[in-house]
Amino acid sequence: MLSRSPGTARRAALALTAAALALTALPATAGASPGSDPLARYHHQRLTWKSCVLGPDDTTGKNLEQAGARCADVTVPLDYSDPGGRTITVAISRIRATDTDRRVGPLLLNGGGPGGQTLGDPPWVRKAMKDVGARYDVVGVDPRFVGRSTPLDCHWPTGSAWRGAGEDRAGFDRMAAFSKDLAERCRTHAGDVLPHATTRNTARDMDVIRAALGERRISYLGYSYGSYLGEVYTTLFPGRTDRVVLDGVIDPDRYSARLWLGVERANRQALKGWASWAAARDATYGLGRTRSEVLATVERVRRAAARTPLRLGEHRLDEHVMPIVALNGLSQDNDAAYGDFAQGVRDMLRASKGRKVTPSPWLAGVLEFVLTGTDSPYGSAQTAIVCGDGAAPRDPEIYWRDVQRTRAQDPLFAPVTNNLNPCAFWDRPRERPTTVRDDLPALLVNATGDPRTGYDGARAVRGRWPSSRLITLTGADQHAVYGVYGVPCVDDTVNAYLATGRLPGRDLDCRAPSYG
């Protein structure tokens, strides 16, 4: 949720769910006769597989090529109610199964976001799958309007629509104007496609991909927002999935345009865990010798940024952005991610004392993401999907009251999680939100301290799906576990399910190693 794919999180840690039938008939199975299928031209298209390398600087393409992957563009309708109208393309990659005698079929991937690119993920997912990976065609997908697919770009001056509300009403009003401007930019630059940027349409695209691959069923691995996409796909297309793994589980009943609501407690807990880690390394980072001292340092930085924007290289960090930096530092529970965040806090602390600071690589990356238009396509697509999936409250006073009500308890995170965003100024969605089925046989994975998709969401989904099983990773403030965090208890259980198709007989508790 509001994060990039696990593969990206591993590299950069820039981290940030029976429905009514479609307006046209739902796609038929791959074997349906063309005459009975209004989407026949899409289901029976011939895919052209080619090199994934786009140029000499294309690291993603080179990694895919080294892993034996090939890429293709799948044609899908922009508007599924008008399948004969305008088309767009969805980019996919595939590492084919090598154990053809025991081949299971395709495993489609989604790394979250929404708006995250997944086309480059098959190599590391195939590695995480170990021997069972040879039995699958591992398929990465850049969803519609993302990455190498037909783009959506609102030409924003930022890669993220999310900001803190600030310290007072004047700051909140600035953010309301900021959010309204982002929404207007989207209407200006992408108004013709905005109504079609939704999870339901992404799920429909997945089914076109299934048919174009010549498959009756697909298996699926979805992280974070990708868990919600998996829930919607299995609802719209019952019987079309084989083995389903949802990691970082979103409760569909809580999925809304206010995605951050409810994650404050988990992020406070993650901040405390990081603070303990940093306190044990005070000689390196100088943030405090106890957890309380480190937390007090973070609060001093927050208050300093609220008084006067902090100068960090070419950027200025103010009351609206500092909490976003903190949130971006709290999704991965490991020494490398903790160290990156600690360096970032040290840089902000030095800047708060008036020193000239060249930000560390991690902090520089976050500031570029939030304060420049470099990642405008990512933020544009993410926001378009979130706003397109469901209507948000339109009265700014609702958000202001929520911010004021929660500010005292959590002055760092609550003004972000309760703040308004461009969805308050968006056009109404064309479709109603999906009512997700309650009988999905899936393997759910979640860490107890997940600061993005809280563990309570995974428990709620497990309670409604008696046919599912839940793997709990205890003791980690970690978002995305399978193949990312490196716990054999989790990885081996997921791989056993992918190998056999049999869910564990009961829910499973795994314990995270200590990084103290």
Side-chain angles (χ1 to χ4, degrees):
M1 179 179 68
L2 301 182
S3 63
R4 300 189 182 189
S5 73
T8 303
R10 284 155 56 108
R11 295 186 296 271
L14 282 180
L16 262 175
T17 206
L21 294 178
L23 296 177
T24 185
L26 290 178
T29 59
S33 62
S36 64
D37 181 3
L39 298 177
R41 62 180 288 207
Y42 305 102
H43 286 166
H44 299 277
Q45 64 185 288
R46 185 180 298 274
L47 301 181
T48 301
W49 295 96
K50 57 193 176 183
S51 170
C52 298
V53 180
L54 298 182
D57 299 324
D58 181 13
T59 302
T60 297
K62 290 178 181 178
N63 290 338
L64 286 165
E65 187 169 78
Q66 290 172 3
R70 303 285 285 175
C71 288
D73 291 325
V74 181
T75 302
V76 299
L78 172 67
D79 182 353
Y80 276 87
S81 70
D82 182 20
R86 179 178 170 186
T87 64
I88 58 175
T89 59
V90 174
I92 66 174
S93 62
R94 180 178 67 178
I95 302 176
R96 301 202 70 166
T98 54
D99 187 352
T100 54
D101 290 340
R102 298 190 298 164
R103 180 180 180 273
V104 177
L107 175 70
L108 267 65
L109 312 176
N110 184 276
Q117 301 178 34
T118 308
L119 182 134
D121 287 352
W124 73 261
V125 172
R126 181 73 171 262
K127 183 178 180 181
M129 295 171 74
K130 300 181 179 177
D131 292 343
V132 73
R135 299 175 56 189
Y136 283 86
D137 294 344
V138 183
V139 180
V141 182
D142 279 354
R144 59 169 49 202
F145 309 127
V146 171
R148 298 189 185 186
S149 299
T150 298
L152 187 165
D153 187 0
C154 299
H155 301 282
W156 281 358
T158 180
S160 175
W162 317 101
R163 295 288 192 277
E167 296 293 295
D168 52 24
R169 183 60 194 236
F172 175 82
D173 288 344
R174 281 195 301 272
M175 289 304 95
F178 173 76
S179 295
K180 185 176 182 180
D181 177 67
L182 295 184
E184 290 175 348
R185 287 173 185 256
C186 281
R187 287 192 191 91
T188 298
H189 297 288
D192 56 335
V193 299
L194 287 183
H196 311 292
T198 67
T199 299
R200 290 169 67 89
N201 281 334
T202 300
R204 291 167 179 140
D205 293 344
M206 284 174 55
D207 205 60
V208 170
I209 293 169
R210 172 201 61 77
L213 292 172
E215 304 286 348
R216 289 188 174 274
R217 295 196 298 173
I218 58 172
S219 294
Y220 180 76
L221 170 61
Y223 292 89
S224 190
Y225 161 81
S227 70
Y228 179 67
L229 174 60
E231 294 160 5
V232 171
Y233 179 80
T234 58
T235 297
L236 293 179
F237 302 98
R240 305 268 175 91
T241 53
D242 186 355
R243 300 161 201 192
V244 175
V245 180
L246 306 180
D247 188 325
V249 185
I250 290 179
D251 178 357
D253 287 351
R254 295 177 58 182
Y255 176 83
S256 74
R258 302 183 73 182
L259 275 178
W260 283 108
L261 279 179
V263 304
E264 302 92 339
R265 184 175 65 177
N267 278 277
R268 286 198 302 270
Q269 185 61 37
L271 184 65
K272 291 177 181 177
W274 164 82
S276 295
W277 182 95
R281 294 158 179 81
D282 181 56
T284 301
Y285 301 106
L287 302 179
R289 291 176 294 179
T290 67
R291 183 176 76 177
S292 295
E293 289 179 358
V294 174
L295 293 173
T297 296
V298 173
E299 175 63 10
R300 283 200 302 274
V301 170
R302 185 193 70 81
R303 290 178 178 273
R307 289 192 300 269
T308 305
L310 309 182
R311 299 171 62 91
L312 290 154
E314 299 177 354
H315 302 294
R316 302 294 180 270
L317 184 78
D318 65 10
E319 59 187 325
H320 306 294
V321 174
M322 186 274 169
I324 300 298
V325 173
L327 283 166
N328 270 278
L330 298 172
S331 69
Q332 303 297 295
D333 185 346
N334 59 62
D335 284 342
Y338 276 5
D340 284 342
F341 185 39
Q343 289 178 356
V345 174
R346 183 181 61 184
D347 290 344
M348 291 187 289
L349 178 62
R350 293 175 62 223
S352 71
K353 298 177 180 178
R355 299 179 185 174
K356 184 176 181 180
V357 177
T358 299
S360 60
W362 175 83
L363 181 57
V366 175
L367 294 175
E368 181 180 21
F369 175 63
V370 177
L371 295 175
T372 78
T374 301
D375 286 301
S376 170
Y378 175 86
S380 300
Q382 178 181 87
T383 307
I385 294 165
V386 171
C387 300
D389 281 345
R394 305 183 76 81
D395 183 0
E397 296 305 317
I398 293 174
Y399 303 90
W400 172 245
R401 288 194 297 267
D402 287 349
V403 168
Q404 291 298 86
R405 176 176 51 82
T406 57
R407 183 193 300 278
Q409 181 179 0
D410 189 341
L412 180 60
F413 296 127
V416 177
T417 60
N418 290 277
N419 198 19
L420 81 178
N421 63 62
C423 297
F425 306 97
W426 217 258
D427 293 342
R428 294 290 183 181
R430 289 197 176 184
E431 295 187 87
R432 300 175 69 87
T434 303
T435 302
V436 170
R437 59 187 287 184
D438 60 4
D439 60 346
L440 177 64
L443 185 57
L444 314 176
V445 183
N446 226 97
T448 54
D450 188 333
R452 293 292 181 272
T453 51
Y455 182 61
D456 56 344
R459 288 190 300 179
V461 172
R462 173 66 180 92
R464 287 198 297 272
W465 294 349
S467 56
S468 67
R469 295 293 182 269
L470 172 62
I471 305 175
T472 297
L473 177 63
T474 301
D477 301 326
Q478 171 71 23
H479 183 53
V481 179
Y482 169 68
V484 178
Y485 194 64
V487 178
C489 176
V490 175
D491 293 356
D492 292 349
T493 304
V494 173
N495 287 337
Y497 168 61
L498 292 174
T500 65
R502 293 190 297 271
L503 289 165
R506 57 180 176 80
D507 292 343
L508 184 67
D509 290 324
C510 299
R511 182 160 292 278
S514 172
Y515 287 98

